[in-house]
């Protein structure tokens, strides 16, 4: 029976160690955002942020508020690591991280999205059942086991992430290494490896190695004879990403997932030598089993559907960006845009070009030059600002975009007033013009 399979208890060493590593990395990510200047550039210096559409009310706290915000978030991450008031700590962290993720898109990153999902999943995990302050203070929650579904949830989430990341690379510019070459061009000045990264042989290795790694990593970690070899391949892959792409904690978080693929005895012997090893076999059916099965079934159906939505939207997602986010389309293309915004007073017909430096940071200008949803949001903001002054305006966008080194092509219909339109989240927005991405 499915229930017996899902709720059979297994040793919880992997989850306990993962909680400690996860909490530590979340703490480092939170305080690191303060000390590296990420908060300053992304949330403090901008006059406003481009939030996810529908979450425009989520804006950074004024003054030094976001520094305190991230500091508090770091405290909750420590609570997760130590297993102190774990449930409250992980709920608070998940809520705060999700809010800061949704309030800005200029620094959009698939890994930030993954951390939002993982912290939400951890809310339901009995991760404080051992090696935690909670378990020391309350012996009734102490346990050496967990339901098998706790492990399966992580494995399925990773399978979705890596599979879609692999499939997304099957397009011409990746297969002929054009995209990889452009991505590596910005790494030319790296010490020792900069010149190596410019070699065509390396580009082919990275392009096809990326496809194979993403597509095979989960199945081969599950298969015992290949597990050890894939773990070492993971170390190389993720450390390469850490050095070349400098993406913070996430290569190390990805390595931490390996805990769920190795035998419980191996994990316990390395990290929790004093912990008794639980011999799996007992089945405990909780009262809320139907709720849990239903909740995660809906969750994973959504996770599998979101990356497919661009197939039902007209034109190429590499060009339109429609259906790009939340789809594990990671580092697939290089995109540049040249864009200007023209405001027209509807009453007088007077027109002028908006000085983007008066509104946007350099990073925001890049988004407002290549991403249609950001362009639409900026037009809406201009409309609101002028409406408060008593002016009714139209906003026209003159934009040309280049994808993967192709010639610049007209991106937005310059005759369409973006300020007068509604955003269509699951349909093609007709004012985003078509392009033949096969031409170079």
């Amino acid at each position: 029976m499915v229930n017996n399979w899902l709720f059979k208890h297994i040793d919880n060493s992997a989850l306990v160690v993962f909680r400690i590593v996860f909490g530590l990395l979340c703490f480092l990510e939170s305080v690191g955002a303060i000390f590296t200047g990420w908060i300053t550039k992304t949330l403090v210096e901008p006059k406003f942020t481009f939030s996810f559409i529908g979450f425009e009310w989520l804006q950074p706290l004024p003054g030094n508020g976001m520094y305190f915000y991230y500091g508090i978030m770091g405290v909750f991450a420590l609570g997760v690591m130590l297993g102190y008031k774990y449930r409250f700590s992980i709920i608070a962290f998940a809520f705060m991280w999700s809010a800061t993720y949704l309030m800005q898109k200029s620094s959009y990153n698939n890994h930030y999205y993954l951390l939002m999902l993982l912290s939400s999943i951890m809310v339901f995990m009995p991760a404080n059942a051992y090696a935690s302050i909670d378990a020391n203070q309350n012996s009734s929650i102490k346990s050496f086991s967990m339901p098998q579904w706790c492990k399966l949830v992580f494995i399925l989430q990773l399978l979705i992430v890596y599979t879609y990341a692999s499939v997304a690379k099957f397009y011409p510019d990746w297969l002929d290494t054009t995209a990889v070459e452009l991505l590596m061009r910005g790494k030319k000045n790296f010490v020792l490896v900069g010149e190596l990264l410019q070699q065509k042989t390396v580009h082919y290795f990275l392009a096809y190695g990326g496809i194979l790694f993403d597509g095979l990593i989960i199945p081969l970690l599950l298969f015992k004879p290949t597990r050890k070899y894939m773990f070492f391949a993971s170390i190389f892959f993720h450390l390469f990403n850490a050095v070349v792409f400098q993406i913070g904690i996430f290569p190390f978080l990805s390595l931490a997932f390996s805990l769920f693929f190795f035998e419980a005895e191996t994990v316990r012997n390395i990290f929790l030598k004093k912990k008794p090893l639980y011999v799996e076999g007992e089945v405990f059916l909780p009262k809320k089993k139907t709720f849990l099965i239903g909740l995660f079934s809906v969750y994973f159906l959504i996770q599998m559907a979101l990356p497919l939505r661009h197939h039902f939207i007209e034109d190429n997602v590499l060009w339109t960006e429609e259906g790009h986010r939340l789809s594990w389309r990671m580092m697939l293309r290089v995109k540049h845009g040249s864009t200007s915004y023209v405001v027209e007073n509807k009453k007088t017909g007077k027109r002028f070009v908006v000085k983007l430096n008066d509104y946007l940071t350099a990073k925001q200008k890049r988004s407002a030059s290549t991403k249609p949803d950001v362009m639409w949001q900026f037009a809406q903001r201009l409309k609101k600002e002028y409406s408060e002054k008593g002016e009714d305006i139209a906003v026209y966008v003159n934009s040309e975009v280049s994808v993967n080194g192709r010639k610049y092509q007209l991106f937005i219909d310059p005759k369409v007033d973006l300020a007068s339109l509604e955003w269509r989240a699951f349909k093609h927005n007709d004012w985003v013009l078509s392009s033949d991405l096969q031409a170079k």
Side-chain angles (χ1 to χ4, degrees):
M1 289 180 62
V2 174
N3 281 347
N4 289 344
W5 182 62
L6 291 174
F7 294 99
K8 180 181 73 171
H9 270 235
I10 60 175
D11 188 270
N12 64 356
S13 296
L15 179 60
V16 170
V17 177
F18 182 78
R19 183 207 82 223
I20 296 170
V21 176
F22 180 78
L24 174 61
L25 292 176
C26 289
F27 169 76
L28 294 175
E29 181 71 16
S30 300
V31 299
I34 299 173
F35 293 108
T36 60
W38 185 90
I39 292 176
T40 302
K41 293 179 181 178
T42 307
L43 300 173
V44 176
E45 289 180 349
K47 295 181 179 179
F48 61 92
T49 62
F50 291 109
S51 62
F52 278 71
I53 293 174
F55 292 89
E56 287 80 5
W57 52 274
L58 270 178
Q59 288 292 311
L61 298 172
N64 293 322
M66 293 310 298
Y67 298 111
F68 291 106
Y69 184 98
Y70 269 74
I72 293 170
M73 197 157 59
V75 171
F76 287 130
L78 284 178
V80 173
M81 182 185 77
L82 298 172
Y84 178 66
K85 297 191 181 300
Y86 170 77
R87 201 69 59 191
F88 175 77
S89 294
I90 189 59
I91 289 173
F93 180 85
F95 177 82
M96 294 182 74
W97 181 266
S98 299
T100 193
Y101 170 78
L102 293 170
M103 76 170 58
Q104 65 82 26
K105 290 187 292 191
S106 296
S107 292
Y108 175 83
N109 191 313
N110 280 282
H111 300 119
Y112 297 160
Y113 172 48
L114 179 60
L115 186 53
M116 182 178 76
L117 298 180
L118 289 175
S119 57
S120 300
I121 287 173
M122 288 290 283
V123 168
F124 299 92
M125 296 290 164
N128 61 333
Y130 188 81
S132 70
I133 295 176
D134 289 347
N136 288 338
Q137 293 180 341
N138 182 4
S139 60
S140 66
I141 69 168
K142 191 171 186 177
S143 176
F144 307 130
S145 69
M146 65 181 181
Q148 185 162 244
W149 67 261
C150 296
K151 173 182 177 179
L152 298 174
V153 163
F154 286 106
I155 293 174
L156 182 54
Q157 179 67 74
L158 291 173
L159 181 63
I160 290 171
V161 172
Y162 281 109
T163 300
Y164 278 118
S166 178
V167 171
K169 293 179 175 67
F170 282 92
Y171 83 99
D173 286 0
W174 188 271
L175 297 176
D176 69 10
T177 75
T178 296
V180 176
E181 180 179 345
L182 291 169
L183 288 169
M184 292 302 108
R185 194 171 291 172
K187 317 299 179 184
K188 189 173 183 178
N189 295 324
F190 276 28
V191 177
L192 298 179
V193 298
E195 287 298 329
L196 179 64
L197 295 176
Q198 310 312 308
Q199 304 303 310
K200 201 65 178 176
T201 304
V202 174
H203 299 161
Y204 274 102
F205 173 77
L206 295 177
Y208 287 88
I211 291 173
L212 291 172
F213 180 87
D214 289 343
L216 297 175
I217 181 62
I218 301 304
L220 294 184
L221 279 175
L222 287 170
F223 187 49
K224 188 174 181 179
T226 57
R227 183 175 299 148
K228 181 171 63 175
Y229 303 106
M230 288 310 296
F231 176 65
F232 288 119
S234 295
I235 293 174
F236 172 80
F237 178 83
H238 292 302
L239 291 184
F240 176 86
N241 284 339
V243 173
V244 174
F245 296 107
Q246 300 174 6
I247 48 178
I249 68 167
F250 296 98
F252 308 101
L253 181 60
S254 298
L255 286 173
F257 288 127
S258 302
L259 291 162
F260 294 105
F261 295 92
F262 283 93
E263 290 84 356
E265 185 175 5
T266 300
V267 176
R268 188 209 64 163
N269 289 344
I270 295 173
F271 298 103
L272 300 170
K273 294 181 179 180
K274 295 182 179 180
K275 176 182 176 294
L277 181 68
Y278 180 85
V279 179
E280 63 183 65
E282 293 182 283
V283 176
F284 301 98
L285 298 179
K287 294 180 180 178
K288 297 181 179 180
K289 67 178 186 299
T290 303
F291 168 76
L292 284 171
I293 293 173
L295 177 68
F296 280 106
S297 296
V298 171
Y299 169 81
F300 282 116
L301 284 173
I302 293 172
Q303 282 296 299
M304 288 185 284
L306 279 176
L308 297 175
R309 70 191 190 280
H310 72 88
H311 293 292
F312 301 93
I313 301 175
E314 184 182 336
D315 217 321
N316 193 322
V317 62
L318 288 167
W319 174 256
T320 67
E321 299 280 333
E322 295 167 323
H324 173 80
R325 295 190 185 90
L326 316 183
S327 299
W328 313 117
R329 303 180 59 80
M330 296 179 272
M331 292 184 286
L332 289 177
R333 79 295 187 244
V334 175
K335 197 170 186 181
H336 298 288
S338 175
T339 301
S340 63
Y341 291 76
V342 177
V343 167
E344 178 185 278
N345 185 304
K346 290 184 177 181
K347 184 176 181 180
T348 65
K350 183 179 179 180
R351 285 188 166 206
F352 66 91
V353 177
V354 175
K355 295 181 180 179
L356 295 182
N357 289 336
D358 293 342
Y359 293 91
L360 308 176
T361 64
K363 183 176 286 188
Q364 287 178 320
K365 282 192 291 184
R366 288 194 291 271
S367 294
S369 296
T370 58
K371 303 184 187 307
D373 59 327
V374 176
M375 294 175 170
W376 177 84
Q377 284 179 293
F378 188 45
Q380 301 303 310
R381 186 171 188 89
L382 290 171
K383 178 181 180 180
K384 181 180 179 181
E385 178 181 304
Y386 279 88
S387 176
E388 292 172 352
K389 299 176 183 178
E391 295 184 48
D392 186 17
I393 66 164
V395 180
Y396 302 96
V397 176
N398 296 305
S399 178
E400 291 186 339
V401 164
S402 167
V403 177
N404 290 341
R406 291 175 174 82
K407 67 178 183 179
Y408 281 81
Q409 300 178 61
L410 196 61
F411 187 45
I412 303 298
D413 189 337
K415 299 178 181 179
V416 173
D417 170 20
L418 296 195
S420 66
L421 302 176
E422 295 292 327
W423 176 257
R424 300 200 295 181
F426 294 99
K427 294 183 180 180
H428 176 60
N429 291 277
D430 296 333
W431 43 271
V432 181
L433 301 177
S434 297
S435 173
D436 180 11
L437 287 186
Q438 300 306 313
K440 287 189 180 179

